[in-house]
Amino acid sequence: MSRGFVKEDDQEEAPFIPPRAALPAGAINYVTPVGYHQLLREKEQLEIQLTSINIVDEKEKRHARAVLNGRLMLLIERINSARIIDPVDQPLDEVRFGAVVTYKNLTGGKIGEVERYQIVGVDEADIRLNKIAFVAPLAKILTGRKKGDIVDFSRGPQLQQFEIQDIHYDIHREL
C-alpha cells in the first residue's frame, strides 16, 4: 500500500540505533579474551532484554524491540568478526596488543608523572579504566617499542617525550 493512504498517526519514525565503537575500514577486529567474553555477556543481556520487554503500548513496544534488535545485530557482527589475541602469545619484552604499558613523562606539564595504559580492542577501550584502543594514536606509537625506549608523541600542538618503564601482559585474568 502506498504511504499516501496511511494515516499520519500510523507512520512510525525509524528508531535510532547507536553505533558501536569505531573500527576503521579494513581493520581487523582484535579483542583480548576478556573483551571477547564481555561481548558475549553483552549479547546475553540484550537477548534477555528482548524477551522481557514489558511495555503495554504496542507502538512503544515495537520501537523498543527494533532498537534492541538493531543493537543485537551490530553486536553479533562484531562478535563474528572478532579475532582473539591471547596475551600469552605476545612477546613479553615488546609492546603489542594486550600489553599494559607504563611510561614516565619526560617533557610537558606532566614531567616525572607515570602513566599506565592497556592496549585493547575498540569495544573494550575505556579511558576511565586506562584501556585504549589499538587504533588510538598513542597505542600506535607505543606498539613495537621496548622497555627503556624514549618515545616522541604529539598531543595536539605539543610534542611530548616519555620513556617506557614497564611492559607486562595480564596473563592471569578474570573472565
Side-chain angles (χ1 to χ4, degrees):
M1 176 186 312
S2 167
R3 297 300 295 168
F5 294 106
V6 178
K7 292 189 296 187
E8 198 169 307
D9 290 346
D10 291 343
Q11 295 181 10
E12 293 182 21
E13 195 173 308
F16 171 73
I17 313 295
R20 297 209 54 90
L23 184 64
I28 296 173
N29 182 24
Y30 294 116
V31 296
T32 66
V34 170
Y36 186 73
H37 287 282
Q38 288 172 343
L39 292 172
L40 295 178
R41 279 195 301 274
E42 184 182 346
K43 179 178 178 261
E44 289 172 8
Q45 291 169 349
L46 283 173
E47 289 170 339
I48 289 168
Q49 289 176 20
L50 256 172
T51 60
S52 61
I53 294 175
N54 191 14
I55 300 173
V56 176
D57 182 68
E58 200 56 41
K59 184 177 177 182
E60 288 180 30
K61 191 179 216 176
R62 277 194 308 274
H63 185 270
R65 188 174 288 127
V67 169
L68 289 172
N69 274 322
R71 289 179 54 205
L72 186 58
M73 296 309 282
L74 292 174
L75 177 59
I76 289 170
E77 283 178 27
R78 202 50 75 88
I79 290 170
N80 289 340
S81 70
R83 180 164 172 213
I84 302 168
I85 303 294
D86 197 322
V88 171
D89 301 327
Q90 300 291 44
L92 300 179
D93 65 336
E94 191 174 312
V95 177
R96 296 290 180 159
F97 183 85
V100 178
V101 183
T102 304
Y103 62 83
K104 182 173 158 182
N105 287 287
L106 302 176
T107 60
K110 295 182 172 184
I111 293 176
E113 282 188 37
V114 174
E115 295 183 65
R116 177 179 294 130
Y117 293 100
Q118 182 180 18
I119 300 172
V120 296
V122 295
D123 288 295
E124 60 188 307
D126 186 340
I127 197 66
R128 294 170 301 188
L129 300 174
N130 290 357
K131 294 183 175 198
I132 59 172
F134 69 98
V135 295
L138 180 58
K140 287 180 177 182
I141 202 94
L142 290 171
T143 299
R145 304 296 183 136
K146 295 181 183 262
K147 186 176 177 178
D149 283 358
I150 305 294
V151 179
D152 293 327
F153 179 65
S154 294
R155 280 194 179 163
Q158 189 175 45
L159 181 67
Q160 278 190 297
Q161 202 173 53
F162 45 84
E163 179 182 4
I164 297 177
Q165 303 280 298
D166 186 48
I167 303 164
H168 75 273
Y169 293 85
D170 283 337
I171 294 171
H172 304 291
R173 61 195 177 276
E174 187 178 314
L175 301 176

mmCIF file of all heavy atoms in Angstrom, residues 14-50:
data_model
loop_
_atom_site.group_PDB
_atom_site.id
_atom_site.type_symbol
_atom_site.label_atom_id
_atom_site.label_comp_id
_atom_site.label_asym_id
_atom_site.label_seq_id
_atom_site.Cartn_x
_atom_site.Cartn_y
_atom_site.Cartn_z
ATOM 1 N N ALA A 14 11.753 5.782 12.197
ATOM 2 C CA ALA A 14 12.758 4.727 12.343
ATOM 3 C C ALA A 14 13.539 4.959 13.624
ATOM 4 O O ALA A 14 13.938 6.087 13.917
ATOM 5 C CB ALA A 14 13.686 4.722 11.143
ATOM 6 N N PRO A 15 13.765 3.905 14.401
ATOM 7 C CA PRO A 15 14.482 4.086 15.659
ATOM 8 C C PRO A 15 15.959 4.396 15.417
ATOM 9 O O PRO A 15 16.547 3.967 14.425
ATOM 10 C CB PRO A 15 14.325 2.738 16.355
ATOM 11 C CG PRO A 15 14.117 1.771 15.257
ATOM 12 C CD PRO A 15 13.389 2.523 14.169
ATOM 13 N N PHE A 16 16.544 5.134 16.336
ATOM 14 C CA PHE A 16 17.970 5.428 16.279
ATOM 15 C C PHE A 16 18.703 4.288 16.972
ATOM 16 O O PHE A 16 18.454 3.991 18.137
ATOM 17 C CB PHE A 16 18.288 6.755 16.972
ATOM 18 C CG PHE A 16 19.765 6.999 17.115
ATOM 19 C CD1 PHE A 16 20.533 7.344 16.014
ATOM 20 C CD2 PHE A 16 20.386 6.842 18.346
ATOM 21 C CE1 PHE A 16 21.896 7.547 16.126
ATOM 22 C CE2 PHE A 16 21.754 7.050 18.471
ATOM 23 C CZ PHE A 16 22.506 7.401 17.360
ATOM 24 N N ILE A 17 19.595 3.636 16.236
ATOM 25 C CA ILE A 17 20.413 2.567 16.795
ATOM 26 C C ILE A 17 21.814 3.139 17.008
ATOM 27 O O ILE A 17 22.500 3.475 16.039
ATOM 28 C CB ILE A 17 20.505 1.352 15.839
ATOM 29 C CG1 ILE A 17 19.144 0.945 15.277
ATOM 30 C CG2 ILE A 17 21.229 0.196 16.516
ATOM 31 C CD1 ILE A 17 18.148 0.445 16.255
ATOM 32 N N PRO A 18 22.244 3.260 18.257
ATOM 33 C CA PRO A 18 23.566 3.840 18.488
ATOM 34 C C PRO A 18 24.658 2.958 17.875
ATOM 35 O O PRO A 18 24.619 1.738 18.007
ATOM 36 C CB PRO A 18 23.688 3.890 20.013
ATOM 37 C CG PRO A 18 22.540 3.147 20.563
ATOM 38 C CD PRO A 18 21.571 2.871 19.477
ATOM 39 N N PRO A 19 25.622 3.571 17.203
ATOM 40 C CA PRO A 19 26.693 2.771 16.592
ATOM 41 C C PRO A 19 27.636 2.216 17.655
ATOM 42 O O PRO A 19 27.709 2.728 18.771
ATOM 43 C CB PRO A 19 27.422 3.784 15.701
ATOM 44 C CG PRO A 19 27.146 5.106 16.333
ATOM 45 C CD PRO A 19 25.781 4.991 16.964
ATOM 46 N N ARG A 20 28.328 1.169 17.300
ATOM 47 C CA ARG A 20 29.346 0.610 18.187
ATOM 48 C C ARG A 20 30.608 1.462 18.073
ATOM 49 O O ARG A 20 30.695 2.331 17.210
ATOM 50 C CB ARG A 20 29.639 -0.843 17.795
ATOM 51 C CG ARG A 20 28.377 -1.698 17.974
ATOM 52 C CD ARG A 20 28.649 -3.116 18.296
ATOM 53 N NE ARG A 20 29.501 -3.367 19.426
ATOM 54 C CZ ARG A 20 29.081 -3.517 20.693
ATOM 55 N NH1 ARG A 20 27.810 -3.392 20.983
ATOM 56 N NH2 ARG A 20 29.935 -3.779 21.652
ATOM 57 N N ALA A 21 31.591 1.180 18.896
ATOM 58 C CA ALA A 21 32.869 1.890 18.845
ATOM 59 C C ALA A 21 33.440 1.788 17.429
ATOM 60 O O ALA A 21 33.320 0.749 16.778
ATOM 61 C CB ALA A 21 33.839 1.287 19.848
ATOM 62 N N ALA A 22 34.056 2.857 16.977
ATOM 63 C CA ALA A 22 34.560 2.925 15.608
ATOM 64 C C ALA A 22 35.716 1.952 15.393
ATOM 65 O O ALA A 22 36.649 1.894 16.179
ATOM 66 C CB ALA A 22 35.006 4.342 15.289
ATOM 67 N N LEU A 23 35.618 1.202 14.306
ATOM 68 C CA LEU A 23 36.689 0.326 13.849
ATOM 69 C C LEU A 23 36.979 0.761 12.421
ATOM 70 O O LEU A 23 36.102 0.672 11.559
ATOM 71 C CB LEU A 23 36.244 -1.138 13.888
ATOM 72 C CG LEU A 23 37.280 -2.186 13.531
ATOM 73 C CD1 LEU A 23 38.425 -2.185 14.545
ATOM 74 C CD2 LEU A 23 36.646 -3.566 13.489
ATOM 75 N N PRO A 24 38.181 1.275 12.168
ATOM 76 C CA PRO A 24 38.482 1.786 10.827
ATOM 77 C C PRO A 24 38.220 0.739 9.741
ATOM 78 O O PRO A 24 38.417 -0.462 9.959
ATOM 79 C CB PRO A 24 39.971 2.130 10.896
ATOM 80 C CG PRO A 24 40.246 2.340 12.338
ATOM 81 C CD PRO A 24 39.327 1.406 13.075
ATOM 82 N N ALA A 25 37.793 1.198 8.577
ATOM 83 C CA ALA A 25 37.528 0.301 7.453
ATOM 84 C C ALA A 25 38.775 -0.528 7.160
ATOM 85 O O ALA A 25 39.884 -0.016 7.108
ATOM 86 C CB ALA A 25 37.128 1.114 6.226
ATOM 87 N N GLY A 26 38.566 -1.812 7.018
ATOM 88 C CA GLY A 26 39.664 -2.710 6.690
ATOM 89 C C GLY A 26 40.468 -3.183 7.891
ATOM 90 O O GLY A 26 41.314 -4.063 7.756
ATOM 91 N N ALA A 27 40.228 -2.604 9.073
ATOM 92 C CA ALA A 27 40.972 -3.009 10.272
ATOM 93 C C ALA A 27 40.419 -4.327 10.804
ATOM 94 O O ALA A 27 39.215 -4.576 10.757
ATOM 95 C CB ALA A 27 40.878 -1.934 11.355
ATOM 96 N N ILE A 28 41.303 -5.164 11.283
ATOM 97 C CA ILE A 28 40.891 -6.424 11.904
ATOM 98 C C ILE A 28 40.368 -6.110 13.301
ATOM 99 O O ILE A 28 40.932 -5.280 14.023
ATOM 100 C CB ILE A 28 42.079 -7.408 11.961
ATOM 101 C CG1 ILE A 28 42.503 -7.775 10.538
ATOM 102 C CG2 ILE A 28 41.719 -8.664 12.750
ATOM 103 C CD1 ILE A 28 43.768 -8.594 10.448
ATOM 104 N N ASN A 29 39.299 -6.776 13.678
ATOM 105 C CA ASN A 29 38.670 -6.543 14.980
ATOM 106 C C ASN A 29 39.366 -7.376 16.058
ATOM 107 O O ASN A 29 38.866 -8.396 16.500
ATOM 108 C CB ASN A 29 37.178 -6.892 14.902
ATOM 109 C CG ASN A 29 36.467 -6.636 16.205
ATOM 110 O OD1 ASN A 29 36.895 -5.832 17.013
ATOM 111 N ND2 ASN A 29 35.376 -7.338 16.420
ATOM 112 N N TYR A 30 40.542 -6.912 16.490
ATOM 113 C CA TYR A 30 41.278 -7.608 17.542
ATOM 114 C C TYR A 30 40.577 -7.413 18.878
ATOM 115 O O TYR A 30 40.109 -6.320 19.189
ATOM 116 C CB TYR A 30 42.705 -7.066 17.659
ATOM 117 C CG TYR A 30 43.566 -7.349 16.459
ATOM 118 C CD1 TYR A 30 44.060 -6.314 15.676
ATOM 119 C CD2 TYR A 30 43.897 -8.657 16.105
ATOM 120 C CE1 TYR A 30 44.857 -6.567 14.574
ATOM 121 C CE2 TYR A 30 44.698 -8.920 15.001
ATOM 122 C CZ TYR A 30 45.175 -7.867 14.238
ATOM 123 O OH TYR A 30 45.960 -8.112 13.155
ATOM 124 N N VAL A 31 40.522 -8.479 19.669
ATOM 125 C CA VAL A 31 39.960 -8.408 21.022
ATOM 126 C C VAL A 31 40.815 -9.258 21.949
ATOM 127 O O VAL A 31 41.419 -10.243 21.530
ATOM 128 C CB VAL A 31 38.488 -8.883 21.095
ATOM 129 C CG1 VAL A 31 37.572 -7.998 20.295
ATOM 130 C CG2 VAL A 31 38.337 -10.323 20.653
ATOM 131 N N THR A 32 40.855 -8.866 23.206
ATOM 132 C CA THR A 32 41.503 -9.692 24.218
ATOM 133 C C THR A 32 40.507 -10.777 24.621
ATOM 134 O O THR A 32 39.299 -10.641 24.374
ATOM 135 C CB THR A 32 41.888 -8.859 25.458
ATOM 136 O OG1 THR A 32 40.690 -8.399 26.090
ATOM 137 C CG2 THR A 32 42.808 -7.701 25.102
ATOM 138 N N PRO A 33 40.951 -11.846 25.277
ATOM 139 C CA PRO A 33 39.990 -12.846 25.759
ATOM 140 C C PRO A 33 38.942 -12.228 26.685
ATOM 141 O O PRO A 33 37.760 -12.570 26.617
ATOM 142 C CB PRO A 33 40.881 -13.857 26.502
ATOM 143 C CG PRO A 33 42.200 -13.755 25.811
ATOM 144 C CD PRO A 33 42.339 -12.282 25.479
ATOM 145 N N VAL A 34 39.366 -11.298 27.543
ATOM 146 C CA VAL A 34 38.424 -10.625 28.445
ATOM 147 C C VAL A 34 37.409 -9.826 27.627
ATOM 148 O O VAL A 34 36.208 -9.872 27.886
ATOM 149 C CB VAL A 34 39.175 -9.712 29.443
ATOM 150 C CG1 VAL A 34 38.206 -8.828 30.222
ATOM 151 C CG2 VAL A 34 40.022 -10.547 30.391
ATOM 152 N N GLY A 35 37.889 -9.101 26.621
ATOM 153 C CA GLY A 35 36.995 -8.319 25.766
ATOM 154 C C GLY A 35 35.993 -9.182 25.026
ATOM 155 O O GLY A 35 34.821 -8.815 24.884
ATOM 156 N N TYR A 36 36.425 -10.350 24.569
ATOM 157 C CA TYR A 36 35.517 -11.264 23.866
ATOM 158 C C TYR A 36 34.409 -11.740 24.809
ATOM 159 O O TYR A 36 33.235 -11.758 24.434
ATOM 160 C CB TYR A 36 36.290 -12.453 23.296
ATOM 161 C CG TYR A 36 35.433 -13.341 22.437
ATOM 162 C CD1 TYR A 36 35.024 -12.924 21.169
ATOM 163 C CD2 TYR A 36 35.017 -14.580 22.881
ATOM 164 C CE1 TYR A 36 34.219 -13.721 20.376
ATOM 165 C CE2 TYR A 36 34.215 -15.388 22.095
ATOM 166 C CZ TYR A 36 33.820 -14.957 20.844
ATOM 167 O OH TYR A 36 33.011 -15.756 20.066
ATOM 168 N N HIS A 37 34.781 -12.087 26.026
ATOM 169 C CA HIS A 37 33.769 -12.525 26.995
ATOM 170 C C HIS A 37 32.822 -11.387 27.371
ATOM 171 O O HIS A 37 31.639 -11.624 27.619
ATOM 172 C CB HIS A 37 34.430 -13.154 28.220
ATOM 173 C CG HIS A 37 34.993 -14.513 27.921
ATOM 174 N ND1 HIS A 37 34.212 -15.645 27.837
ATOM 175 C CD2 HIS A 37 36.248 -14.912 27.632
ATOM 176 C CE1 HIS A 37 34.962 -16.679 27.522
ATOM 177 N NE2 HIS A 37 36.209 -16.261 27.388
ATOM 178 N N GLN A 38 33.319 -10.162 27.374
ATOM 179 C CA GLN A 38 32.444 -9.016 27.619
ATOM 180 C C GLN A 38 31.414 -8.882 26.499
ATOM 181 O O GLN A 38 30.239 -8.593 26.758
ATOM 182 C CB GLN A 38 33.264 -7.725 27.719
ATOM 183 C CG GLN A 38 34.068 -7.599 28.981
ATOM 184 C CD GLN A 38 35.012 -6.395 28.957
ATOM 185 O OE1 GLN A 38 35.305 -5.826 27.912
ATOM 186 N NE2 GLN A 38 35.509 -6.038 30.125
ATOM 187 N N LEU A 39 31.838 -9.103 25.259
ATOM 188 C CA LEU A 39 30.910 -9.050 24.124
ATOM 189 C C LEU A 39 29.837 -10.130 24.253
ATOM 190 O O LEU A 39 28.651 -9.876 24.013
ATOM 191 C CB LEU A 39 31.655 -9.206 22.797
ATOM 192 C CG LEU A 39 32.572 -8.060 22.383
ATOM 193 C CD1 LEU A 39 33.391 -8.445 21.152
ATOM 194 C CD2 LEU A 39 31.789 -6.786 22.137
ATOM 195 N N LEU A 40 30.243 -11.339 24.641
ATOM 196 C CA LEU A 40 29.273 -12.432 24.803
ATOM 197 C C LEU A 40 28.283 -12.137 25.929
ATOM 198 O O LEU A 40 27.084 -12.418 25.790
ATOM 199 C CB LEU A 40 30.003 -13.752 25.060
ATOM 200 C CG LEU A 40 30.861 -14.275 23.911
ATOM 201 C CD1 LEU A 40 31.567 -15.566 24.320
ATOM 202 C CD2 LEU A 40 30.038 -14.481 22.642
ATOM 203 N N ARG A 41 28.778 -11.554 27.031
ATOM 204 C CA ARG A 41 27.871 -11.181 28.134
ATOM 205 C C ARG A 41 26.890 -10.096 27.694
ATOM 206 O O ARG A 41 25.710 -10.119 28.045
ATOM 207 C CB ARG A 41 28.666 -10.716 29.355
ATOM 208 C CG ARG A 41 29.198 -11.854 30.195
ATOM 209 C CD ARG A 41 29.676 -11.409 31.575
ATOM 210 N NE ARG A 41 30.729 -10.424 31.548
ATOM 211 C CZ ARG A 41 32.028 -10.689 31.450
ATOM 212 N NH1 ARG A 41 32.432 -11.935 31.362
ATOM 213 N NH2 ARG A 41 32.917 -9.726 31.459
ATOM 214 N N GLU A 42 27.389 -9.141 26.913
ATOM 215 C CA GLU A 42 26.515 -8.086 26.400
ATOM 216 C C GLU A 42 25.421 -8.682 25.517
ATOM 217 O O GLU A 42 24.257 -8.282 25.591
ATOM 218 C CB GLU A 42 27.339 -7.062 25.616
ATOM 219 C CG GLU A 42 26.530 -5.878 25.117
ATOM 220 C CD GLU A 42 27.355 -4.887 24.306
ATOM 221 O OE1 GLU A 42 28.605 -4.945 24.323
ATOM 222 O OE2 GLU A 42 26.728 -4.031 23.649
ATOM 223 N N LYS A 43 25.780 -9.668 24.712
ATOM 224 C CA LYS A 43 24.802 -10.335 23.839
ATOM 225 C C LYS A 43 23.727 -11.033 24.686
ATOM 226 O O LYS A 43 22.524 -10.911 24.404
ATOM 227 C CB LYS A 43 25.505 -11.347 22.938
ATOM 228 C CG LYS A 43 24.579 -12.096 22.009
ATOM 229 C CD LYS A 43 25.377 -13.053 21.125
ATOM 230 C CE LYS A 43 24.471 -13.843 20.237
ATOM 231 N NZ LYS A 43 24.207 -15.187 20.751
ATOM 232 N N GLU A 44 24.157 -11.739 25.719
ATOM 233 C CA GLU A 44 23.196 -12.409 26.614
ATOM 234 C C GLU A 44 22.242 -11.402 27.242
ATOM 235 O O GLU A 44 21.034 -11.648 27.322
ATOM 236 C CB GLU A 44 23.934 -13.169 27.722
ATOM 237 C CG GLU A 44 24.652 -14.404 27.248
ATOM 238 C CD GLU A 44 25.522 -15.022 28.345
ATOM 239 O OE1 GLU A 44 25.453 -14.568 29.513
ATOM 240 O OE2 GLU A 44 26.280 -15.956 28.024
ATOM 241 N N GLN A 45 22.774 -10.270 27.687
ATOM 242 C CA GLN A 45 21.938 -9.250 28.321
ATOM 243 C C GLN A 45 20.923 -8.668 27.342
ATOM 244 O O GLN A 45 19.767 -8.448 27.692
ATOM 245 C CB GLN A 45 22.808 -8.153 28.919
ATOM 246 C CG GLN A 45 23.610 -8.603 30.114
ATOM 247 C CD GLN A 45 24.663 -7.598 30.545
ATOM 248 O OE1 GLN A 45 24.949 -6.630 29.845
ATOM 249 N NE2 GLN A 45 25.271 -7.835 31.703
ATOM 250 N N LEU A 46 21.360 -8.418 26.095
ATOM 251 C CA LEU A 46 20.431 -7.893 25.090
ATOM 252 C C LEU A 46 19.335 -8.906 24.783
ATOM 253 O O LEU A 46 18.165 -8.538 24.615
ATOM 254 C CB LEU A 46 21.170 -7.507 23.802
ATOM 255 C CG LEU A 46 21.932 -6.195 23.840
ATOM 256 C CD1 LEU A 46 22.750 -6.020 22.562
ATOM 257 C CD2 LEU A 46 20.993 -5.019 24.021
ATOM 258 N N GLU A 47 19.687 -10.176 24.706
ATOM 259 C CA GLU A 47 18.688 -11.215 24.438
ATOM 260 C C GLU A 47 17.677 -11.302 25.573
ATOM 261 O O GLU A 47 16.479 -11.473 25.336
ATOM 262 C CB GLU A 47 19.376 -12.562 24.201
ATOM 263 C CG GLU A 47 20.109 -12.611 22.870
ATOM 264 C CD GLU A 47 21.008 -13.828 22.699
ATOM 265 O OE1 GLU A 47 21.393 -14.455 23.723
ATOM 266 O OE2 GLU A 47 21.325 -14.155 21.534
ATOM 267 N N ILE A 48 18.144 -11.158 26.800
ATOM 268 C CA ILE A 48 17.233 -11.160 27.957
ATOM 269 C C ILE A 48 16.307 -9.948 27.887
ATOM 270 O O ILE A 48 15.099 -10.067 28.104
ATOM 271 C CB ILE A 48 18.030 -11.177 29.283
ATOM 272 C CG1 ILE A 48 18.687 -12.539 29.468
ATOM 273 C CG2 ILE A 48 17.141 -10.818 30.467
ATOM 274 C CD1 ILE A 48 19.722 -12.582 30.582
ATOM 275 N N GLN A 49 16.863 -8.792 27.563
ATOM 276 C CA GLN A 49 16.040 -7.582 27.452
ATOM 277 C C GLN A 49 14.979 -7.749 26.367
ATOM 278 O O GLN A 49 13.834 -7.309 26.545
ATOM 279 C CB GLN A 49 16.903 -6.362 27.145
ATOM 280 C CG GLN A 49 17.757 -5.899 28.293
ATOM 281 C CD GLN A 49 18.668 -4.747 27.899
ATOM 282 O OE1 GLN A 49 18.439 -4.060 26.911
ATOM 283 N NE2 GLN A 49 19.714 -4.543 28.681
ATOM 284 N N LEU A 50 15.362 -8.375 25.259
ATOM 285 C CA LEU A 50 14.400 -8.582 24.164
ATOM 286 C C LEU A 50 13.231 -9.459 24.590
ATOM 287 O O LEU A 50 12.089 -9.204 24.201
ATOM 288 C CB LEU A 50 15.108 -9.248 22.975
ATOM 289 C CG LEU A 50 15.435 -8.375 21.797
ATOM 290 C CD1 LEU A 50 16.296 -9.116 20.795
ATOM 291 C CD2 LEU A 50 14.221 -7.797 21.132
#
